[in-house]
Amino acid sequence: MRFPRRTALCFMIMVVHSSQATLNLNLESVVHPLILREHGLAEEDPLRQKRAVATNSAAAEEHTVDTEIGFENTSFLEPPKAHLNSLSFPLQGNSAGQATHILSVAVTTVCRPSGNEIWCSGETGYKWPQEKCLHSITCPEHDSSLTGHRCSCLKGLPSKGPFCQLQGDVTLRMSVRLDVGFQEELRNSSSALYRSYKTDLETAFRKGYSILPGFKLVTVTEFRPGSVVVDYEIKTMTPSLELMHRANEQVGKNLNHTYKVDDNSFHVVNNNETKLFAEPKTILEGDTVTVVCENEILSTNVSWYDVKMGSKIQNSSRFSVNTSVLNNMTSVSHLIIYNVTRGDAGEYICKLTLDIFEYWAKIKIDVKPMHISAKEETKVMCDNNPVFLNCCSVTNVSWSAIEWKQEGKISIPGNTETDLGSSCSRYTLKADGTQCPSGSAGTTVIYTCEFTSTHGARGSKNIEVTFTSVGDNPSHKGGVHEFLRHVMEMSTVQSTTGNSLETSKAQQQQANLTITPDPISVSEGQNFSIKCSSDVSNYDEVYWNTSAGIKIYQRFYTARRYPDKAESVLTVKTATREWNGTYRCIFRYKSSYSVVTKDVTVHPLPLETSIVVDPLEATVSCKGSHRFQCCVEEDEDYRVTFQMESIIFPAAKEVNGKQVCYKYNFKASSVPWCSQKVDVFCRFTNTANNSVQSPSMKVHLVPEENIACQDPIIGAGEPEKVVQKLCQFSDIPSSPAGPTGGILTYKCVGSQWKVKRNDCIFAPINSLLQLAKALIKSPSQDQKLPKFLKNLSISTGKVQNEVKSSPGSLGAIISILDLLSTVPNQVNSDMMKHVLSTVNVILSQPILNTWKVFQQQRTNQSSQLLDSVERFSRAFQSEGNAISSVLHPHVQMKSMVVKSGHPNIYEQSFVFSDSDLRGSVVIDTCQLEHLQPGSSVVTMAFPTIKTILAQDAQGKNFADSLVMTTTVSHNITTPFRISMTFGNSNLLNRKLQCVFWNFDLANRTGGWDSSGCYITKHYENSVSCSCDHLTSFSILMSPDSPDPGSLLKILLDIISYIGLCFSILSLAACLVVEAVVWKSVTKNRTSYMRHICIANIAASLLVADIWFIVATAIHDYYYPLNETACVAATFFIHFFYLSVFFWMLTLGLMLLYRLVFILHDTSKSIQKTIAFSLGYGCPLVISIITVAATQPQEVYMRKNACWLNWEDTKALLAFVIPALIIVVVNVTTTVVVITKILRPSIGDKPSKQEKNSLFQISKSIGVLTPLLGLTWGFGLATVFQGSNAVFHIVFTLLNAFQGLFILLFGCLWDQKVQEALLNKFSLSRWSSQHSKSTSLGSSTPVFSMSSPLSRRFNNLFGKTGTYNVSTPETTSSSFENTSSAYSLLN
């Protein structure tokens, strides 16, 4: 309403009009005199006609029109009401003479301002309907109705009708007790005492109950003993509880005290408020009957009574009572009677009690027997002609199934034709001579038709069928070849013999069978096996079936032949109720059958996976409580308990339709601990005393002050807490199709739970998922599969729009296909059509966005789907030799059967015009000749699956063409080549690669692999590939990475291999040189430690380079040829490269120690221990931690190289960070060393030989560290996408020639090494050269004095231009120091 203080008047007009006129009521003419407005105020609201009615039916009709009028001033409210009361009815309308009449106009609702609000209340006799009271705010102290009834006042006028409604009259049957003695005269209605009591009581009643709304009359009906119980009836409108108590108080005050009214004995019975009905309407013996009691009174205090038994009904194995309040509007109580019998027929009462009010209703239940009519005996001749067995139900009810079973010495199955609507079923038998025994007058088999109603009733009829062999018929004797069947019951073999030679040979192969002797009795979920042995090793076939002739799927049993016997073992890993029954082990040799049977008893017990728990996890305050429940889909006689730690709690059973829940309300105060995480689970124990434990429920007990979020459904939670909850127990509305599946993930944000992730599964899909899980455990799963695939295809098509927004439902469909694809050994055309119809839906364009959720979560659903479809295609068998095809917008399939002799070439083409993609597959004749005749070659093409399959290992190569899958139904033992062409208009300027989808990569999640595939031709709009194996193929495209065949890649490979050869030779030479000159150059500790470091640097880099070559050999650029070897190579390359850097760090720290701690002297052994711990210990620790943290998730190495991963885990940082830190430390050390040498202080003078070694060390660090650091600096630059080729080339050059740098700068530049080598290999020549250099040193400065730069260097080192040559040692030392400094600074 536009004005907050507006006053509104709502009234109802009753109109009647005849057939001659069309209703054209001019409301404005009636209402206009009533519209009064204050001068100067805004215009009135336009009239709001709540229901406009127009008709020209054949008879006079009555209609109601609700109209609202608004006023700007409350003072104008009463005149319109008075005007309406003054009108005389009926009023004639102005549209069609006498044809239209207004019967009445009544004010129903008045809205008045109250403070800043508008209160709308009903006039006398009118109240708001129930739905308005429940969804609107009622006025304080105005809701005078019982809970759940209509209210009298609302805050604000609802935007949509209806207005207040007229209250109907109700008859209240009441009673009260008088504490006086009962006299027999009160039974006689004509006695004076009766009339006196009746008059006095009715007078008091009228005075007391006159305050009730719409009160009309009160009548005393009876007096009963029990003191004196007065029964009386009141006709009024439904009163409130408070008003009724007030009226009862008035009755006590108005009645003479001699009557001694018991004020607490007033009792009210109301029959008008309760609705009672039963389902099904026609009840058969054995049905599960549900009686529903509905009441608008919001109370769960409901009791049920069996009138015939005169007792209250309690929960038991046959009766279940469940009461709840739905939508805060209606109290609903269910009485469920299981397996109803004719003895349960009779009357039942539903009684709801609220204070003194009692609401009840009575229903009568009739139970009918099930009658099935059929011809009870029939004869069948085994001549392959059809014979029909017919069964019909006399009672026409809703049937869920009509099944046929058979029992007898022979098993002859037939075909069922059922019309559930007509309650009839026909079973067609076609028996031939191979199925009927000969040599007897006939064998009788009992065929049973069993009817099952939708509510569980079962009834059956037996038909005796006598089978007669054609040979037993005199007119056919001698004309038909006879066969032999042996049947053994419980290890007894019976045989019959024919007259032919074939039968005689078969009789010689007669076998004695033995079977597991121990009785087999298990519970659901347990395993069992049956071993069947034959004393004859020769047989043609061995198989198992049930007593009903249903053949057991062959995956459940094995057969093995020994020299003198044979055996078959039936193994069931997870028993279900379907396995309960009798099983036959059958050995067949030609036409001779040997059979032995075994009974298996399977006791009901829920599987762990079928127990649904709530909550999955919960946070409970130490003073709070939480309800735990475990639910199953069947109601069996289980003992259920809850267990937390060692404490066991009882469970309360609650039946909700088909679901049975066991609940326990846990109070945290009942346990002696707090601030602890515990597991809660429930345990189911069956009658066989076997038990199963449910999945655990995680409970976190926390102090109350830690709770931030609180919700009655989700529960409590701490800040940022993330919890998961099954969707069926969340606030998602339930579905008639069954419970919603999947999981909702919530996060506590602030004080509210927010949905973080929704993986709910729509009820129809969830039901199929549960059925699929049961199907793969069924003994006859292959027979059930075709119908299931059809249902899956239909259901997926129906929920296509819902799946677009439900990743959970999409994932469930993929899981169903994955489960079902493990079942079939053979798939026919109809089954394949249903599979591809389902795949077509989930690969359609609208659903591709849902697939992105899986890609973000890094799950393998896309690979799982492709694998499932491949399994179906490998099992596909075409009918006949024709080419089969299935064409859908998002998947196409074509296949061919390979003929014997010279098969035709296999060539299939696929075109998807919508996506501008095409492709073809060719397998030439010479390849097909290697296949078994009758094999099916199947190719499927997918235009959209490319977008959902994972990218390549580098994360930037992607498939942008068709994905084509080719499979063969039989295993291929020889190399097999296939040619494919991929057509795409987007192939220009792209680097292409032929690949297949390898399901074993990336921790079994799958990835693109190029092994065995290569490009044969590359055109402008197509690419031809050839592969030596079969699976799913496509082409990969990369925007900028070097292609394996590109010039840049070839150049880098050449540089790497040449550089590594030089590097390995140089490092080997360095180690040889060190070994040769070791004694000459390690005369002091500093020199000794320096050469220890240089030798280990060379050795570590040499081993690292060798492993680098190994890593290159075992990787083909995209995926490793041997993953274990690649992991080992990555580990050792990481370890030894780190060792190079840590030995450099050791070298630098040793130099720093010798310069800073001059007076401190450490033994050689301690220095060596520290050096080796630092040089090899630290790299080993880092390498082990890196591989241990990443390899379990298979993200240790890159997919395109045997080196540390960067894209997924940044494991490369375990090398880069230590290396860069060492480079920085060594550069800092070099700066300190130079500073010390250039500015020596007093006391900082090591010996001359020590100083010589220090210069060599500083020279080595100054040269080696920048080079190695620069190498990896360029390596970091190549990580970034789009980096220039120059960085790749420079990085490869520097990295490949590291060994040469070590030899030159770390070894040969050392003058002492040079001297030692010259002394070792040319002593006389070195003596001459040494004399010359000494002489030159005595007369000439190190650098030419004419050079200012040379003079500057000589002055820096304290040189004056000439040397004092008093001793050769001094001269030599000075020269060495000068050259070392020069080398260091340059």
Side-chain angles (χ1 to χ4, degrees):
M1 303 178 72
R2 293 182 299 182
F3 298 97
R5 294 185 58 81
R6 195 175 192 86
T7 300
L9 178 69
C10 305
F11 59 93
M12 177 179 63
I13 306 173
M14 300 294 294
V15 182
V16 63
H17 68 96
S18 64
S19 60
Q20 285 78 14
T22 298
L23 178 61
N24 186 17
L25 179 61
N26 187 349
L27 290 175
E28 190 173 356
S29 63
V30 179
V31 177
H32 181 71
L34 309 180
I35 300 177
L36 308 175
R37 61 179 181 270
E38 188 172 338
H39 179 70
L41 294 179
E43 295 181 2
E44 69 279 357
D45 278 352
L47 300 178
R48 294 198 292 170
Q49 184 175 327
K50 297 296 179 183
R51 289 190 293 272
V53 183
T55 182
N56 49 356
S57 57
E61 296 183 0
E62 183 179 292
H63 301 277
T64 302
V65 179
D66 289 347
T67 305
E68 175 191 339
I69 302 176
F71 301 94
E72 298 297 339
N73 194 312
T74 56
S75 61
F76 295 112
L77 187 60
E78 294 303 324
K81 293 172 64 177
H83 178 77
L84 291 174
N85 291 333
S86 66
L87 294 176
S88 298
F89 296 99
L91 297 177
Q92 294 184 4
N94 57 2
S95 58
Q98 302 296 322
T100 303
H101 305 281
I102 299 175
L103 301 181
S104 66
V105 178
V107 177
T108 63
T109 312
V110 177
C111 296
R112 297 180 176 87
S114 176
N116 294 325
E117 299 173 333
I118 295 292
W119 287 11
C120 298
S121 58
E123 291 291 275
T124 303
Y126 290 87
K127 287 192 176 182
W128 288 104
Q130 180 190 14
E131 61 270 17
K132 294 299 179 184
C133 298
L134 294 172
H135 298 95
S136 304
I137 301 176
T138 57
C139 308
E141 301 179 0
H142 279 73
D143 188 8
S144 59
S145 300
L146 285 171
T147 304
H149 277 72
R150 303 178 177 186
C151 52
S152 60
C153 180
L154 297 180
K155 289 185 178 181
L157 185 64
S159 59
K160 296 182 179 179
F163 298 123
C164 292
Q165 305 293 302
L166 181 65
Q167 290 287 93
D169 292 338
V170 295
T171 299
L172 303 179
R173 293 187 296 110
M174 297 186 64
S175 65
V176 65
R177 187 175 68 253
L178 307 179
D179 290 332
V180 294
F182 184 80
Q183 302 179 43
E184 287 301 319
E185 293 180 63
L186 292 175
R187 298 182 185 275
N188 184 3
S189 60
S190 60
S191 67
L193 183 61
Y194 182 96
R195 290 196 301 270
S196 173
Y197 267 59
K198 178 179 174 67
T199 301
D200 293 343
L201 288 168
E202 287 182 350
T203 301
F205 288 157
R206 274 194 296 272
K207 291 180 180 179
Y209 295 121
S210 61
I211 64 174
L212 299 182
F215 172 77
K216 288 184 171 56
L217 59 89
V218 59
T219 305
V220 174
T221 58
E222 186 183 8
F223 297 101
R224 293 180 286 117
S227 297
V228 175
V229 178
V230 183
D231 293 333
Y232 57 101
E233 293 181 351
I234 301 175
K235 192 170 185 179
T236 181
M237 295 180 183
T238 304
S240 68
L241 189 59
E242 179 186 355
L243 196 59
M244 180 57 76
H245 278 302
R246 285 169 49 194
N248 290 337
E249 291 176 3
Q250 292 297 321
V251 169
K253 293 178 182 179
N254 293 323
L255 196 59
N256 192 298
H257 293 294
T258 57
Y259 285 98
K260 298 181 181 180
V261 175
D262 185 351
D263 294 332
N264 296 320
S265 65
F266 284 98
H267 185 71
V268 185
V269 177
N270 187 348
N271 293 359
N272 299 1
E273 303 289 339
T274 305
K275 299 177 183 177
L276 198 59
F277 58 92
E279 284 290 339
K281 294 181 179 179
T282 302
I283 301 173
L284 300 177
E285 282 189 279
D287 270 336
T288 295
V289 180
T290 302
V291 187
V292 182
C293 180
E294 293 183 356
N295 204 304
E296 292 183 356
I297 305 301
L298 303 188
S299 173
T300 57
N301 186 19
V302 178
S303 302
W304 290 83
Y305 297 89
D306 186 338
V307 176
K308 182 171 63 176
M309 301 298 294
S311 61
K312 183 179 178 180
I313 299 175
Q314 305 288 346
N315 280 322
S316 64
S317 60
R318 291 201 59 244
F319 294 92
S320 174
V321 176
N322 175 41
T323 306
S324 60
V325 176
L326 298 181
N327 302 321
N328 202 29
M329 293 178 63
T330 307
S331 171
V332 180
S333 183
H334 295 87
L335 169 63
I336 302 176
I337 308 174
Y338 300 99
N339 194 21
V340 69
T341 64
R342 300 190 71 180
D344 295 321
E347 292 183 329
Y348 292 84
I349 292 177
C350 169
K351 184 184 295 184
L352 182 149
T353 304
L354 181 65
D355 200 87
I356 65 172
F357 282 87
E358 186 179 277
Y359 303 86
W360 68 278
K362 186 190 300 182
I363 189 172
K364 186 177 181 181
I365 292 178
D366 292 323
V367 181
K368 297 182 178 180
M370 186 181 296
H371 293 294
I372 299 173
S373 63
K375 184 180 178 181
E376 297 184 1
E377 295 182 0
T378 188
K379 294 184 178 181
V380 175
M381 179 69 67
C382 299
D383 55 2
N384 210 29
N385 289 321
V387 176
F388 304 107
L389 309 181
N390 296 293
C391 267
C392 290
S393 169
V394 176
T395 307
N396 190 10
V397 298
S398 178
W399 302 105
S400 64
I402 303 177
E403 297 178 342
W404 288 81
K405 300 178 181 179
Q406 58 175 308
E407 185 176 355
K409 292 184 177 181
I410 60 175
S411 174
I412 302 180
N415 297 320
T416 304
E417 299 177 39
T418 299
D419 183 3
L420 296 177
S422 65
S423 300
C424 288
S425 179
R426 183 170 72 177
Y427 197 71
T428 304
L429 292 172
K430 288 181 68 176
D432 56 30
T434 64
Q435 297 172 302
C436 295
S438 61
S440 62
T443 301
T444 300
V445 177
I446 304 298
Y447 287 85
T448 303
C449 59
E450 184 178 73
F451 285 67
T452 304
S453 74
T454 54
H455 294 273
R458 292 178 179 270
S460 61
K461 188 73 172 180
N462 292 336
I463 302 175
E464 292 187 4
V465 178
T466 302
F467 291 94
T468 304
S469 174
V470 176
D472 293 330
N473 191 326
S475 63
H476 293 84
K477 213 166 226 338
V480 179
H481 191 69
E482 294 293 334
F483 294 90
L484 174 68
R485 177 186 298 268
H486 296 286
V487 179
M488 176 181 285
E489 295 291 342
M490 297 304 292
S491 305
T492 301
V493 180
Q494 298 177 346
S495 63
T496 59
T497 308
N499 297 320
S500 66
L501 177 63
E502 181 68 31
T503 304
S504 299
K505 291 181 179 179
Q507 190 176 13
Q508 296 174 6
Q509 297 295 329
Q510 173 179 327
N512 293 315
L513 302 186
T514 57
I515 201 164
T516 303
D518 298 330
I520 298 178
S521 177
V522 296
S523 293
E524 286 189 273
Q526 296 180 333
N527 62 73
F528 70 87
S529 63
I530 308 174
K531 184 177 180 181
C532 170
S533 300
S534 168
D535 61 354
V536 176
S537 63
N538 193 19
Y539 62 87
D540 292 332
E541 182 186 15
V542 59
Y543 60 93
W544 295 72
N545 66 11
T546 67
S547 58
I550 300 174
K551 196 169 184 179
I552 303 300
Y553 191 36
Q554 64 184 27
R555 69 160 55 185
F556 292 107
Y557 59 87
T558 59
R560 190 172 181 180
R561 195 191 311 264
Y562 297 93
D564 57 345
K565 66 175 183 177
E567 69 178 25
S568 179
V569 179
L570 173 68
T571 303
V572 179
K573 295 181 180 179
T574 306
T576 62
R577 262 175 269 193
E578 280 194 73
W579 288 97
N580 189 69
T582 302
Y583 292 90
R584 295 173 174 174
C585 171
I586 304 170
F587 278 80
R588 181 184 67 82
Y589 178 72
K590 296 184 178 179
S591 60
S592 176
Y593 294 83
S594 300
V595 184
V596 65
T597 64
K598 187 69 178 178
D599 291 329
V600 176
T601 303
V602 180
H603 300 278
L605 186 68
L607 302 177
E608 180 183 355
T609 55
S610 66
I611 302 174
V612 182
V613 299
D614 180 59
L616 298 176
E617 51 185 317
T619 299
V620 183
S621 70
C622 296
K623 298 180 180 179
S625 62
H626 200 92
R627 186 183 70 175
F628 296 95
Q629 60 180 337
C630 296
C631 301
V632 292
E633 289 297 324
E634 71 276 348
D635 187 11
E636 296 288 345
D637 188 15
Y638 299 133
R639 299 194 314 273
V640 183
T641 57
F642 284 84
Q643 185 169 341
M644 176 186 291
E645 298 290 330
S646 59
I647 305 175
I648 297 177
F649 306 101
K653 181 179 178 181
E654 182 178 290
V655 180
N656 295 317
K658 294 183 179 180
Q659 191 174 66
V660 182
C661 293
Y662 298 86
K663 303 181 178 182
Y664 175 72
N665 190 26
F666 167 71
K667 294 182 179 180
S669 58
S670 63
V671 295
W673 58 77
C674 187
S675 298
Q676 183 176 338
K677 294 183 179 179
V678 294
D679 288 344
V680 178
F681 59 86
C682 53
R683 184 179 299 277
F684 288 75
T685 305
N686 64 2
T687 54
N689 208 29
N690 295 127
S691 62
V692 63
Q693 181 176 304
S694 73
S696 64
M697 295 167 273
K698 309 293 182 182
V699 182
H700 187 195
L701 300 173
V702 299
E704 190 170 2
E705 56 270 16
N706 292 359
I707 301 297
C709 296
Q710 189 77 44
D711 185 89
I713 296 177
I714 306 171
E718 300 168 285
E720 302 301 313
K721 176 73 173 179
V722 176
V723 299
Q724 291 184 326
K725 193 170 186 70
L726 293 178
C727 298
Q728 74 176 86
F729 297 116
S730 67
D731 53 1
I732 293 179
S734 59
S735 169
T740 303
I743 292 175
L744 270 172
T745 304
Y746 295 91
K747 183 176 183 180
C748 180
V749 180
S751 61
Q752 298 291 325
W753 288 106
K754 303 292 184 183
V755 176
K756 183 180 180 182
R757 181 171 160 186
N758 187 337
D759 291 323
C760 291
I761 305 171
F762 288 108
I765 300 300
N766 184 54
S767 298
L768 287 175
L769 178 60
Q770 303 310 315
L771 290 174
K773 292 178 180 178
L775 184 142
I776 62 172
K777 299 180 179 70
S778 171
S780 56
Q781 52 191 251
D782 54 331
Q783 301 175 34
K784 296 179 179 180
L785 183 62
K787 184 177 180 180
F788 193 99
L789 290 173
K790 180 179 180 181
N791 293 337
L792 176 63
S793 174
I794 295 172
S795 299
T796 305
K798 289 180 179 179
V799 300
Q800 179 175 1
N801 292 330
E802 289 80 0
V803 174
K804 288 191 298 185
S805 59
S806 175
S809 298
L810 177 58
I813 295 173
I814 298 169
S815 298
I816 293 172
L817 288 173
D818 185 52
L819 289 171
L820 300 182
S821 66
T822 63
V823 172
N825 282 333
Q826 184 171 330
V827 174
N828 59 34
S829 296
D830 288 339
M831 295 166 66
M832 201 66 190
K833 288 177 182 178
H834 296 319
V835 170
L836 295 183
S837 175
T838 302
V839 173
N840 179 67
V841 171
I842 62 178
L843 289 182
S844 60
Q845 290 291 343
I847 298 181
L848 291 183
N849 287 332
T850 311
W851 281 96
K852 293 180 181 178
V853 176
F854 297 143
Q855 289 180 312
Q856 294 168 359
Q857 298 169 358
R858 294 181 178 271
T859 54
N860 67 330
Q861 272 84 353
S862 55
S863 182
Q864 188 180 22
L865 172 64
L866 194 60
D867 195 20
S868 304
V869 176
E870 282 196 22
R871 284 198 291 265
F872 278 114
S873 67
R874 280 192 291 269
F876 178 68
Q877 291 291 330
S878 299
E879 288 83 358
N881 295 324
I883 293 178
S884 300
S885 63
V886 179
L887 304 179
H888 289 289
H890 307 294
V891 59
Q892 295 181 8
M893 185 205 79
K894 296 183 180 180
S895 69
M896 184 187 78
V897 177
V898 178
K899 300 179 181 179
S900 59
H902 298 283
N904 297 326
I905 189 172
Y906 179 78
E907 184 173 8
Q908 306 292 351
S909 298
F910 303 91
V911 177
F912 295 89
S913 55
D914 293 342
S915 52
D916 193 22
L917 295 175
R918 61 193 182 280
S920 63
V921 176
V922 176
I923 304 176
D924 57 29
T925 304
C926 63
Q927 300 291 329
L928 296 175
E929 288 176 347
H930 294 92
L931 300 179
Q932 298 181 24
S935 299
S936 292
V937 183
V938 182
T939 301
M940 288 180 289
F942 309 89
T944 58
I945 202 173
K946 58 185 172 56
T947 62
I948 62 175
L949 288 173
Q951 296 176 331
D952 78 324
Q954 296 169 293
K956 50 190 177 181
N957 290 349
F958 55 93
D960 195 19
S961 70
L962 281 181
V963 175
M964 293 190 291
T965 294
T966 300
T967 58
V968 174
S969 59
H970 292 86
N971 292 332
I972 302 173
T973 57
T974 59
F976 196 87
R977 184 153 296 280
I978 180 174
S979 299
M980 294 157 291
T981 300
F982 298 90
N984 191 340
S985 60
N986 190 28
L987 298 179
L988 292 176
N989 302 320
R990 310 299 288 272
K991 296 170 184 175
L992 306 176
Q993 187 180 20
C994 295
V995 291
F996 72 96
W997 188 257
N998 190 336
F999 294 100
D1000 296 327
L1001 294 178
N1003 196 22
R1004 304 288 178 180
T1005 60
W1008 292 115
D1009 192 346
S1010 60
S1011 302
C1013 295
Y1014 58 88
I1015 296 177
T1016 57
K1017 295 179 182 178
H1018 186 183
Y1019 302 102
E1020 181 178 353
N1021 293 322
S1022 64
V1023 173
S1024 295
C1025 298
S1026 181
C1027 295
D1028 59 7
H1029 51 81
L1030 298 179
T1031 184
S1032 301
F1033 302 95
S1034 187
I1035 54 174
L1036 279 188
M1037 303 183 182
S1038 174
D1040 63 352
S1041 60
D1043 186 78
S1046 66
L1047 179 62
L1048 175 60
K1049 182 64 170 63
I1050 295 173
L1051 178 61
L1052 294 178
D1053 288 344
I1054 292 174
I1055 294 173
S1056 296
Y1057 290 123
I1058 294 176
L1060 283 173
C1061 290
F1062 273 104
S1063 186
I1064 290 173
L1065 293 175
S1066 299
L1067 291 169
C1070 180
L1071 292 175
V1072 171
V1073 169
E1074 287 289 334
V1076 170
V1077 302
W1078 187 259
K1079 291 184 179 180
S1080 302
V1081 297
T1082 57
K1083 293 180 179 179
N1084 59 65
R1085 290 180 190 171
T1086 304
S1087 295
Y1088 179 81
M1089 291 307 302
R1090 170 184 177 274
H1091 284 280
I1092 284 284
C1093 293
I1094 291 294
N1096 281 281
I1097 289 173
S1100 297
L1101 190 55
L1102 175 62
V1103 177
D1105 286 344
I1106 293 173
W1107 273 107
F1108 186 86
I1109 294 176
V1110 173
T1112 305
I1114 63 177
H1115 208 288
D1116 72 339
Y1117 183 76
Y1118 282 99
Y1119 294 103
L1121 303 178
N1122 188 310
E1123 188 170 349
T1124 303
C1126 192
V1127 172
T1130 303
F1131 175 82
F1132 286 115
I1133 292 172
H1134 183 205
F1135 170 68
F1136 283 109
Y1137 271 133
L1138 276 181
S1139 296
V1140 173
F1141 278 95
F1142 273 93
W1143 274 108
M1144 289 179 59
L1145 176 64
T1146 304
L1147 195 62
L1149 294 178
M1150 187 265 294
L1151 173 61
L1152 197 62
Y1153 165 75
R1154 295 301 300 161
L1155 283 175
V1156 176
F1157 301 98
I1158 299 173
L1159 300 178
H1160 189 274
D1161 195 14
T1162 306
S1163 66
K1164 185 185 294 185
S1165 60
I1166 293 177
Q1167 291 187 37
K1168 284 175 61 178
T1169 302
I1170 295 173
F1172 277 92
S1173 298
L1174 192 61
Y1176 290 118
C1178 291
L1180 184 63
V1181 171
I1182 295 173
S1183 302
I1184 291 176
I1185 291 175
T1186 304
V1187 70
T1190 56
Q1191 181 56 25
Q1193 291 78 36
E1194 297 195 7
V1195 286
Y1196 172 56
M1197 59 186 183
R1198 302 184 182 192
K1199 302 298 186 295
N1200 64 328
C1202 294
W1203 183 227
L1204 298 174
N1205 190 296
W1206 174 256
E1207 292 83 3
D1208 300 320
T1209 59
K1210 303 295 186 290
L1212 182 60
L1213 294 177
F1215 173 76
V1216 173
I1217 291 177
L1220 293 180
I1221 291 175
I1222 291 172
V1223 169
V1224 172
V1225 171
N1226 280 356
V1227 169
T1228 305
T1229 301
T1230 303
V1231 173
V1232 173
V1233 169
I1234 294 174
T1235 304
K1236 283 284 184 179
I1237 292 177
L1238 294 181
R1239 297 180 181 177
S1241 59
I1242 298 174
D1244 290 349
K1245 293 183 179 180
S1247 67
K1248 294 179 181 179
Q1249 196 170 3
E1250 293 285 325
K1251 192 171 182 179
N1252 178 29
S1253 299
L1254 293 177
F1255 270 106
Q1256 297 301 323
I1257 295 169
S1258 61
K1259 177 184 67 176
S1260 300
I1261 294 175
V1263 172
L1264 292 177
T1265 302
L1267 284 172
L1268 292 175
L1270 186 62
T1271 297
W1272 294 102
F1274 279 100
L1276 290 174
T1278 63
V1279 172
F1280 302 103
Q1281 184 173 340
S1283 57
N1284 196 289
V1286 174
F1287 290 103
H1288 291 270
I1289 296 173
V1290 172
F1291 170 68
T1292 306
L1293 279 170
L1294 294 177
N1295 197 42
F1297 288 93
Q1298 285 183 86
L1300 183 60
F1301 298 149
I1302 295 285
L1303 175 65
L1304 294 178
F1305 301 118
C1307 187
L1308 297 181
W1309 268 24
D1310 188 340
Q1311 188 170 352
K1312 293 184 69 176
V1313 172
Q1314 297 172 14
E1315 292 174 354
L1317 288 173
L1318 290 175
N1319 284 329
K1320 186 78 173 176
F1321 297 107
S1322 181
L1323 183 60
S1324 60
R1325 185 180 176 187
W1326 164 241
S1327 299
S1328 173
Q1329 293 297 326
H1330 182 265
S1331 175
K1332 292 180 181 180
S1333 66
T1334 305
S1335 175
L1336 179 64
S1338 341
S1339 59
T1340 311
V1342 178
F1343 303 110
S1344 173
M1345 293 301 295
S1346 62
S1347 170
L1349 182 61
S1350 299
R1351 290 194 299 271
R1352 179 58 179 162
F1353 270 100
N1354 281 304
N1355 291 332
L1356 283 173
F1357 289 99
K1359 309 299 182 291
T1360 59
T1362 59
Y1363 288 108
N1364 184 346
V1365 289
S1366 59
T1367 62
E1369 180 182 339
T1370 306
T1371 305
S1372 175
S1373 179
S1374 301
F1375 182 85
E1376 184 178 341
N1377 288 345
T1378 306
S1379 63
S1380 297
Y1382 181 81
S1383 299
L1384 176 64
L1385 295 175
N1386 288 276

